[in-house]
Amino acid sequence: MVINDDSSTDDTADGVGDDSPAGADVLDTDDPLSVAEGLRGKFEWAVILGSIPFWLLVFWYSETQMMDRPRYGTLFLGGVLLLYLLIELPDTIEEKNWLETGMLAVSGVVVTIATVYLFTQFQNLVYTRAGQAYGYEIALALAISLVMIYLTWRSFGITFLTVVLGGIGYGFAGPYLAGTLSHGGLTPERTLRILAISGDGFYGFLTQLVAAWIALFLLYAGLLKAYGAFDLILRIAVRSAKYLDSGIAQTAVLSSAVIGSVNGSQTANAGMTGSFTIPLMKKSGIKPETAGGIEAVASTSGQVLPPVMGAGAFIMASLITGLTYGDVIIAGLIPAAILVVSIFIAVHYVAAPQIDDPSMSGLFDEKLSRQDTVLESIKYGVPLVILVYQLGYVQVTVMTAALQTAVAMIVLGVLIPLVKAGLDGDDLVGTLVHTFKQTIEGFRQGVIVVAPITIILAAINGVVDLLMATGVPTAISLTLMDLSGGVPLIAFFLAMVICILLGLGMPTTASYTVVALLIAPTLINQFLVPDLAAHYFVFYAAILAGLTPPIATCVAVATGIAGGNFWRTCVEAIKISAPLFVLPFAFVYHPEMVSGEFSTAALTAGVIALLGAVAIIHGINYWFPFGRGPTAGLRAVFAGAGIVAMVYPDQMIQLGALGLVVILYGIQMTLGQSEPAEPISEAGDGQP
């Protein structure tokens, strides 16, 4: 363990002690390829051995592209599903849940048959006999569709199962619906063809995007974990935050945001990084609800940080015609800066008064030497530099940059420890064996990360293709126009609500894809919102689902780790992330902010929005030294003025709102020096 723990039994109960499974899973790299004994161990070895040819296939395709991408996507999805089944089977067997075990086994047989058949008959199914299918092919499509429905339920629960079944049911129910949502209906045969044997549906562009682009970035995340990057990230975060009273909470924000930016799921990130950041925050004196809220918001903020943006940047670049990946990333820099700064201030406000030991003394057993720090920085920094340089400057394809980044991580993950061993006079052979085990563990971690994201994106792809066949985007557009009466503000608010509902329980990539295909076209076509502004609106709105009760999956995971109250944790998370709920509206009323250019107008809009976000944070989270009434009034005025400054279309009104904020802040500072409540109360009554 890296964390130095001399805690009592109570601390261990909180998950901080050496016996903490979560902490050990994240930070202990002494035995990188620890495999259980017995039947579970055999399945774990099967996953390990299966992950090697799987990732070699991904590397081969990324380098050569000697196969049609749709056909490669078929092979990729089949491999992912089989590996996922191997991961899940030990649990059902150990629990003696023979029904689930049987369903997983049957699913494996179906996936194997379907993958082999669809791969070998790809040309006939997709091109030669497009729109036609034999009876046994329809039966196979039904079988693989049932497997996908079952696996999405197993991975993401009843909420997402409802989305999938609702989408399929809508395809059948069209003739029986009234109004704009009615349509001609889809036959069962056409539905199954779309879902499974046409090259679309479960095997469509989202699955192909994961196979060609996103998978390598998720492997990169798995390698980072296996090679011990969390330790270095935590050390850097501690060092950068040690001068602040809220330092240990800022450590959680920084580490969670960095890891979250590449793993594609705010909920998974909350579980991954929260397993060590939340116990550390609790140990320093931060309340469980505050610690859980901070981690949930930090994991969410990572999803919008360039250059990866939780893998959402790649999907956005593929959906907006005429825009490159570089355009998408540049457009996301100003919003990301606004979010990061406002969260930094909010976390300082809520955490600093609770922390007992701001210095974070004794956090690590030992300090890294300067030599080790340099070597570790090279080990993890060079792949990231390669990624940014190749995508931002050279502008190679995303697939090429992802391949180079993953390969660089593997090369340096093996080479740097050998260099360190040589300098320290350690055993080179033993070091080589250790790094080889870390690499294989990285492959396994990559599979564990990529499997659920691939499954949910494949299911989303199937549902979206069905909805597209029914013409539902047009129906949503007409319905939104009717409900809003053509008033943009009402339409934008309704669009945000829909985005949050559609994003419930889904990873960033899946939730964004759904709303980008169903909601963004309405904003673009009916309300003339520029493409980037519309897509960033729905992107930011969709990730709010992880923080918005009553579902709030990201908060739920953080609450489970922190052991706090779910609803109070939701309140803490919303207080910290309040500007995130306003920022999407700033995009549509000030589209220059996400125009992809650093023009004067863009920078001005960004600075004003940032100051407005800070005003909101100050109003909601600052510990005002006044009575309840004056404090409530100040909070409302600060927050209201901040919202106006962020969103209002007229710049003079925005500046006026900021002027009010400055005046209020000056009054607060003046009256807060001594007995503050009485003077504020008297001023409010109009007395001298």
Side-chain angles (χ1 to χ4, degrees):
M1 288 289 287
V2 177
I3 299 299
N4 180 24
D5 178 48
D6 54 0
S7 56
S8 64
T9 303
D10 292 338
D11 289 329
T12 303
D14 287 337
V16 182
D18 285 334
D19 295 331
S20 169
D25 180 60
V26 175
L27 292 175
D28 189 359
T29 58
D30 291 337
D31 188 8
L33 202 59
S34 178
V35 177
E37 297 180 355
L39 184 63
R40 174 174 289 274
K42 293 179 180 179
F43 276 102
E44 290 182 1
W45 273 114
V47 174
I48 291 168
L49 296 176
S51 67
I52 296 173
F54 174 78
W55 289 115
L56 290 178
L57 170 67
V58 174
F59 284 149
W60 171 80
Y61 178 79
S62 299
E63 175 63 25
T64 65
Q65 300 176 44
M66 293 178 62
M67 188 187 299
D68 288 344
R69 183 179 290 189
R71 193 177 188 189
Y72 164 63
T74 300
L75 197 60
F76 177 88
L77 180 59
V80 167
L81 294 179
L82 290 175
L83 288 170
Y84 176 78
L85 293 171
L86 290 175
I87 294 171
E88 293 292 299
L89 271 169
D91 291 333
T92 61
I93 294 175
E94 289 181 351
E95 295 168 2
K96 295 184 179 181
N97 188 335
W98 303 124
L99 176 61
E100 290 277 356
T101 301
M103 294 176 69
L104 289 173
V106 171
S107 297
V109 173
V110 171
V111 169
T112 301
I113 294 173
T115 301
V116 171
Y117 186 81
L118 294 175
F119 183 77
T120 56
Q121 298 297 315
F122 182 83
Q123 182 70 28
N124 287 331
L125 289 169
V126 176
Y127 299 111
T128 306
R129 292 190 283 109
Q132 302 176 356
Y134 299 127
Y136 64 85
E137 292 173 339
I138 295 297
L140 182 62
L142 175 61
I144 194 64
S145 297
L146 292 174
V147 167
M148 287 299 302
I149 291 171
Y150 167 64
L151 293 183
T152 53
W153 167 77
R154 186 172 181 84
S155 300
F156 294 93
I158 191 67
T159 301
F160 185 65
L161 177 64
T162 303
V163 173
V164 174
L165 294 180
I168 295 173
Y170 179 74
F172 293 140
Y176 309 102
L177 299 175
T180 57
L181 293 177
S182 66
H183 59 86
L186 301 176
T187 64
E189 180 179 335
R190 186 184 177 194
T191 298
L192 291 171
R193 284 205 317 269
I194 292 173
L195 287 175
I197 56 176
S198 63
D200 296 319
F202 300 136
Y203 302 94
F205 89 97
L206 279 181
T207 299
Q208 297 162 28
L209 199 65
V210 175
W213 291 8
I214 298 174
L216 285 170
F217 285 98
L218 299 179
L219 171 62
Y220 175 49
L223 291 168
L224 285 173
K225 180 177 181 181
Y227 287 136
F230 286 10
D231 177 45
L232 182 64
I233 292 172
L234 187 58
R235 287 178 182 273
I236 293 174
V238 168
R239 180 170 295 183
S240 63
K242 69 180 181 180
Y243 301 106
L244 291 170
D245 289 342
S246 59
I248 198 160
Q250 303 297 351
T251 294
V253 173
L254 180 58
S255 58
S256 297
V258 171
I259 298 299
S261 68
V262 296
N263 74 357
S265 171
Q266 64 200 98
T267 303
N269 188 68
M272 185 184 297
T273 61
S275 60
F276 65 90
T277 60
I278 290 175
L280 290 176
M281 285 189 281
K282 288 176 62 180
K283 190 177 182 181
S284 71
I286 296 176
K287 294 185 297 184
E289 289 80 10
T290 304
I294 290 172
E295 175 58 41
V297 174
S299 295
T300 299
S301 67
Q303 304 300 301
V304 302
L305 293 185
V308 181
M309 290 168 55
F314 310 125
I315 297 178
M316 191 181 297
S318 69
L319 291 178
I320 304 178
T321 304
L323 289 178
T324 66
Y325 166 83
D327 296 328
V328 172
I329 290 304
I330 293 173
L333 291 175
I334 292 176
I338 295 170
L339 190 63
V340 168
V341 172
S342 60
I343 289 175
F344 175 86
I345 295 173
V347 168
H348 182 72
Y349 279 171
V350 301
Q354 302 180 37
I355 293 177
D356 299 325
D357 180 17
S359 66
M360 294 177 283
S361 58
L363 186 59
F364 295 98
D365 289 331
E366 57 185 15
K367 293 183 178 180
L368 286 179
S369 66
R370 179 169 297 181
Q371 170 189 293
D372 289 346
T373 301
V374 171
L375 290 175
E376 291 292 290
S377 299
I378 293 173
K379 178 179 174 181
Y380 303 116
V382 169
L384 183 60
V385 170
I386 289 174
L387 171 63
V388 175
Y389 176 76
Q390 290 293 82
L391 284 176
Y393 183 75
V394 181
Q395 295 188 350
V396 300
T397 64
V398 174
M399 187 188 305
T400 299
L403 175 63
Q404 292 173 350
T405 302
V407 170
M409 188 68 258
I410 293 173
V411 171
L412 291 170
V414 174
L415 181 61
I416 294 299
L418 289 175
V419 172
K420 181 179 181 298
L423 293 173
D424 295 342
D426 295 334
D427 180 15
L428 291 177
V429 175
T431 301
L432 182 61
V433 171
H434 183 77
T435 55
F436 175 76
K437 289 182 177 181
Q438 285 182 316
T439 304
I440 300 304
E441 174 62 14
F443 284 179
R444 186 173 77 94
Q445 291 294 333
V447 167
I448 292 173
V449 174
V450 80
I453 290 179
T454 302
I455 289 170
I456 195 171
L457 285 178
I460 285 293
N461 207 144
V463 172
V464 166
D465 281 350
L466 287 178
L467 294 178
M468 290 298 180
T470 65
V472 74
T474 301
I476 290 177
S477 177
L478 294 174
T479 302
L480 201 56
M481 286 292 291
D482 289 342
L483 292 175
S484 67
V487 179
L489 180 60
I490 298 176
F492 297 153
F493 177 78
L494 292 174
M496 172 173 274
V497 172
I498 295 172
C499 288
I500 292 174
L501 293 175
L502 291 177
L504 289 175
M506 289 193 243
T508 300
T509 45
S511 59
Y512 164 65
T513 302
V514 172
V515 297
L517 294 173
L518 299 182
I519 306 301
T522 300
L523 302 181
I524 295 168
N525 298 325
Q526 301 297 331
F527 296 95
L528 305 180
V529 177
D531 287 11
L532 267 173
H535 278 264
Y536 266 98
F537 177 95
V538 299
F539 179 52
Y540 270 68
I543 66 172
L544 292 174
L547 299 175
T548 306
I551 304 298
T553 51
C554 191
V555 176
V557 170
T559 301
I561 298 172
N565 177 274
F566 171 74
W567 291 102
R568 288 199 293 269
T569 305
C570 283
V571 171
E572 291 293 320
I574 291 173
K575 285 167 59 180
I576 296 169
S577 64
L580 181 57
F581 289 80
V582 182
L583 197 53
F585 294 95
F587 300 155
V588 293
Y589 283 110
H590 298 279
E592 64 274 12
M593 190 187 306
V594 286
S595 63
E597 299 178 355
F598 288 125
S599 62
T600 302
L603 293 174
T604 301
V607 170
I608 292 175
L610 172 59
L611 295 175
V614 172
I616 294 173
I617 289 298
H618 185 77
I620 294 176
N621 296 284
Y622 185 76
W623 291 47
F624 291 103
F626 308 123
R628 179 175 298 179
T631 294
L634 274 176
R635 292 193 189 284
V637 176
F638 267 114
I643 293 172
V644 172
M646 289 186 72
V647 174
Y648 202 83
D650 190 314
Q651 192 173 95
M652 293 304 297
I653 300 295
Q654 290 179 289
L655 294 175
L658 290 180
L660 175 60
V661 168
V662 172
I663 293 172
L664 284 175
Y665 186 76
I667 295 174
Q668 170 202 322
M669 290 296 100
T670 301
L671 297 180
Q673 300 301 317
S674 56
E675 300 292 334
E678 183 177 346
I680 283 287
S681 179
E682 291 176 356
D685 293 334
Q687 299 176 10

